[in-house]
Amino acid sequence: MDSSHETEELVVLVGADGRPAGTAPKATVHTADTPLHFAFSAYVLDPEGRLLLTRRALSKRTWPGVWTNSFCGHPGPGEITVAAVRRRASEELGLQPAQLGAVEEVLPDFSYRATDSSGIVEYEVCPVFVVRLTGPVALAVNPEEVDAWVWAAPADVVAAARALPEVFSQWMVAELADPRLVAALG
């Protein structure tokens, strides 16, 4: 596609009433004064029940090189969140639609505000999903999003996040503190 026809990725801002209140360019919205916007977090389980952890690419504007949940993203204007989860599974991890089994919204009411070491703020209404893969798993990660990845037992990940929270993204640590997510991960 000719780059002059590519559209700028937008995030959907959240109004005081919790509803969409306009958009802002993703490339410029994350600053020291990030406005509240819609996002999501996803945890991927393979057919054996292992959890995919990813290390954010070193080139990422926010939380570069930090270990986190499988993937995150932002629904676009008018996009249903579960559709955004499926889209980002492909864009970040190279997962094909046929590989994606159940996509379950586990924490529909999760939101957070966090500041990384450079002063960049994330401020999101961020429902959390568990994605169960079917069949053989072949990742084709996008190096602009993911630097490294590992499959681990969910119980080991929960224990590590509790013991060493500074090693992981602040949102992942907060999400894994919720017993609903821990139960969903098995």
Side-chain angles (χ1 to χ4, degrees):
M1 177 188 294
D2 183 324
S3 64
S4 65
H5 296 291
E6 288 182 24
T7 58
E8 179 177 43
E9 185 176 356
L10 300 173
V11 298
V12 179
L13 304 177
V14 180
D17 61 359
R19 299 172 53 94
T23 60
K26 179 185 171 194
T28 61
V29 76
H30 297 100
T31 66
D33 191 29
T34 302
L36 183 62
H37 59 280
F38 289 104
F40 65 83
S41 285
Y43 291 76
V44 173
L45 294 172
D46 73 4
E48 289 78 44
R50 296 179 304 167
L51 174 60
L52 177 65
L53 290 182
T54 59
R55 182 174 183 242
R56 293 170 61 84
L58 296 173
S59 60
K60 296 286 282 181
R61 179 173 168 83
T62 60
W63 281 267
V66 172
W67 283 95
T68 193
N69 54 292
S70 306
F71 66 98
C72 296
H74 302 89
E79 185 178 29
I80 296 169
T81 306
V82 72
V85 170
R86 291 181 178 280
R87 173 179 53 81
R88 290 299 295 170
S90 174
E91 292 172 357
E92 284 198 35
L93 303 175
L95 293 170
Q96 301 305 309
Q99 293 177 278
L100 303 178
V103 177
E104 176 188 5
E105 187 176 29
V106 178
L107 303 179
D109 54 350
F110 184 77
S111 64
Y112 73 97
R113 186 178 190 283
T115 306
D116 79 2
S117 60
S118 73
I120 300 286
V121 171
E122 275 289 11
Y123 188 29
E124 298 179 334
V125 171
C126 186
V128 179
F129 292 81
V130 172
V131 178
R132 297 181 193 283
L133 300 181
T134 60
V137 177
L139 297 179
V141 301
N142 178 344
E144 293 178 12
E145 299 289 343
V146 177
D147 177 65
W149 66 94
V150 64
W151 293 95
D156 292 346
V157 174
V158 171
R162 288 179 180 157
L164 294 165
E166 62 277 4
V167 174
F168 303 101
S169 69
Q170 294 172 28
W171 62 87
M172 185 184 104
V173 172
E175 292 163 356
L176 289 175
D178 192 306
R180 296 175 294 172
L181 178 58
V182 173
L185 294 173

